[in-house]
Amino acid sequence: MNDSSSSKFAHLALQGGNKSVAGEIPCWPPQWPSVLEAIQRTWSDGSWGQYHGKTVQEFAHTFAEYLGVKHVWPCSSGTVAVELALRGLGVNATHEVILAGYDFPGNFRAIEAIGARPVLIDVRKNGFVLDEAQLDAALNEKTKAVIASHLHGQLANIEEIKRRLQNRGVSVLEDACQVPGAKLASRPAGTVGDVGTFSFGGSKLMTCGRGGAIVTDCDASLQRIRIAAERGNDAFPLSALQAAALTPQLDTLDDRHAQRLRAAKRLREALSDSRIFRPLDDVWDDADSPAFFKFAIQIPGHHDREYLLQALTAEGAPVFTGFRGFGKRSKRRCEQVGPLANANIAAQNTILLHHPFLLGGEALVDQIGEAFQKIDACFE
Ligand SMILES: *Cc1c(COP(=O)(O)O)cnc(C)c1O
C-alpha cells in the first residue's frame, strides 16, 4: 500500500477515524404494546396455562388466513418444523433428500435425524438459493423430497423447481423460515411448495423467542405430521404464551415488510458503484417481493473477509459471516453432485447485515451505506 492509500486507511474507524454509523440500530424485537396486551389477555382469562386453550388455535387460524393455506401446524422451532415437514412428505430412512450445498445447517441435520441421505447440489451463481438447473443430475429412484430455502433476501424459484419434479414423485419443502411476508409471483412465500416451514426464533422477522410452524394444503401430509408429533401429547408444541405474542404481529407484518424492502433497495443503490461489496443483483418487482432477515453482500475471493468485517464493525455496521456451507462434509454423510463451486464461494465470501437496521430510517441506512463506501474507497 502506498502513502496516499495509507492516509485513506487512516480515516477508518478501525484506525481511529470517526465511525460512519452514528445512528442507533433499533432493538429486536421491539416492545410492541399489542404483544404485551395479547400476553396479558392470556393471563387474565387463564388460557396461558392450558395445553389446548384457544390461543394456539387462534394463532394457527389467523396465520392460515394470512397465508391463504389450509393447514398450519404450530411447533417449537423452525428446525423441528423442517424435520416434521419432511416426515409429512413421507420421507423415511430409505430415501434421499436434495438440498443446496449452502443452507441453514439444521436442514442437513433434519434429513439425518430421519435417517435419510442428504444429496447436495449447487446454488445459483453469485447467490444463495438452490440452482434448479442442477436438479436433474441429482434425481434418482430414491429421491423423495427437495428442500429449497429462501435465503439472505433471495427467493428460490419454487414454481420452477416443482415443474422440474413433475411426475417424479418428489415433493418440495419450501423453507420460508427467513421470509414471512415475502411473495413469489404474488403468492405468500411458504405456500408455493408442497409444505412450507417458518421459524419464530428470537432474531426472526416474526418472533416469540422460539417457535415455528409447518403449513400445507395437503391433508395426508398434515396427518403424517400429527402422527410424528403426537407422543402421548404434542411433543414439539408452540405454547399459548408464544402464540399470543405472534398473532398481533400479523396485523403489521406487511407494513414492516414494505419498509424493509424500501430500505434494502436504498442500500443496494448506495452500493451500486462499489467494487468490493456486491449486493444481490436479483430483480425485485411487485409480484416477487423478497424479505430480508439478512441483507447479503458478496466480496471478491482475494479480499480478506475477516479484515473487512472488522473494519465494518468498527464503523458501526451490524455485519456477520454467512453459513459455513456443506462443501466440506464427509462423503460418508452425504452425496455431492458436482463441485458445489457457487456454494463454496457463498460460504467463503459472504457478508451479512442483520435486519433490524432496515427499520431504523433512511438516515441510518445511508450511514451504513457510507461505511461500505468508505472502506471501498481505501482499495482504489
Ligand atoms: C432460522 C432458520 C431455521 C431454523 O429455525 P429455528 O427456529 O432457529 O430452529 C431453518 N431454516 C432457515 C433458513 C433459517 O433461517
Side-chain angles (χ1 to χ4, degrees):
M1 152 193 350
N2 61 31
D3 280 353
S4 77
S5 68
S6 63
S7 69
K8 279 178 189 160
F9 277 91
H11 290 120
L12 296 182
L14 192 61
Q15 311 290 343
N18 289 331
K19 270 171 76 166
S20 303
V21 183
E24 200 157 321
I25 295 173
C27 70
W28 189 262
Q31 294 184 311
W32 290 300
S34 59
V35 169
L36 180 60
E37 283 160 26
I39 292 171
Q40 276 169 336
R41 264 199 306 280
T42 69
W43 174 257
S44 317
D45 68 15
S47 63
W48 66 278
Q50 294 168 4
Y51 283 117
H52 299 289
K54 60 183 173 130
T55 318
V56 178
Q57 274 168 28
E58 192 178 300
F59 167 67
H61 179 77
T62 313
F63 197 36
E65 244 175 24
Y66 172 86
L67 294 171
V69 78
K70 200 165 162 193
H71 306 296
V72 168
W73 183 273
C75 62
S76 54
S77 73
T79 304
V80 155
V82 171
E83 184 185 329
L84 287 175
L86 288 173
R87 294 187 190 279
L89 294 173
V91 174
N92 65 40
T94 69
H95 291 135
E96 292 184 353
V97 176
I98 297 172
L99 84 161
Y102 179 91
D103 200 352
F104 177 72
N107 290 358
F108 190 101
R109 296 294 297 272
I111 299 168
E112 288 188 320
I114 297 175
R117 189 159 171 83
V119 176
L120 305 174
I121 66 173
D122 211 354
V123 296
R124 279 190 220 155
K125 193 168 183 328
N126 302 326
F128 306 99
V129 302
L130 182 143
D131 179 3
E132 54 273 11
Q134 312 294 318
L135 280 172
D136 269 349
L139 288 164
N140 64 47
E141 66 286 347
K142 287 187 186 162
T143 314
K144 185 68 174 173
V146 174
I147 299 179
S149 302
H150 305 298
L151 289 182
H152 308 344
Q154 191 174 40
L155 297 171
N157 192 342
I158 305 295
E159 208 50 87
E160 178 60 18
I161 292 168
K162 278 174 81 173
R163 200 187 61 73
R164 285 170 188 260
L165 299 175
Q166 240 164 30
N167 309 320
R168 303 192 75 144
V170 178
S171 306
V172 181
L173 188 168
E174 180 184 3
D175 183 345
C177 284
Q178 296 201 352
V179 295
K183 297 240 162 51
L184 285 76
S186 304
R187 293 162 73 187
T191 68
V192 185
D194 297 291
V195 293
T197 53
F198 289 89
S199 164
F200 309 126
S203 63
K204 295 287 162 88
L205 300 183
M206 267 175 79
T207 179
C208 55
R210 289 281 174 189
I214 307 143
V215 307
T216 186
D217 283 329
C218 172
D219 298 340
S221 290
L222 180 78
Q223 185 56 13
R224 281 189 290 260
I225 290 164
R226 191 191 305 279
I227 290 165
E230 290 287 353
R231 299 189 187 172
N233 67 2
D234 181 356
F236 316 101
L238 187 81
S239 75
L241 282 168
Q242 290 172 315
L246 287 168
T247 306
Q249 293 177 44
L250 287 167
D251 293 337
T252 45
L253 178 60
D254 288 349
D255 291 343
R256 277 192 300 283
H257 174 79
Q259 196 182 338
R260 280 190 284 257
L261 190 56
R262 276 196 303 277
K265 285 179 176 169
R266 193 175 177 89
L267 181 58
R268 182 172 176 252
E269 193 57 38
L271 296 175
S272 59
D273 293 332
S274 171
R275 284 137 313 156
I276 300 181
F277 302 110
R278 299 185 196 135
L280 286 165
D281 56 9
D282 284 34
V283 176
W284 309 328
D285 57 32
D286 287 342
D288 261 353
S289 186
F292 293 85
F293 172 59
K294 308 282 179 184
F295 183 98
I297 286 161
Q298 282 198 354
I299 55 167
H302 60 276
H303 279 280
D304 178 352
R305 180 171 65 168
E306 233 6 85
Y307 177 79
L308 294 173
L309 284 166
Q310 280 173 24
L312 286 161
T313 302
E315 297 298 336
V319 290
F320 305 88
T321 57
F323 300 132
R324 293 174 65 184
F326 307 132
K328 296 200 176 85
R329 291 278 154 106
S330 127
K331 302 287 186 302
R332 270 186 299 114
R333 291 176 73 184
C334 61
E335 226 60 63
Q336 283 192 14
V337 179
L340 307 181
N342 297 331
N344 292 333
I345 289 171
Q348 286 155 27
N349 300 351
T350 299
I351 289 177
L352 299 177
L353 285 150
H354 192 43
H355 66 88
F357 84 93
L358 294 168
L359 297 179
E362 291 184 347
L364 180 65
V365 173
D366 291 348
Q367 289 168 11
I368 288 173
E370 282 156 24
F372 283 97
Q373 287 159 359
K374 189 170 157 188
I375 294 166
D376 194 67
C378 293
F379 290 91
E380 262 172 306

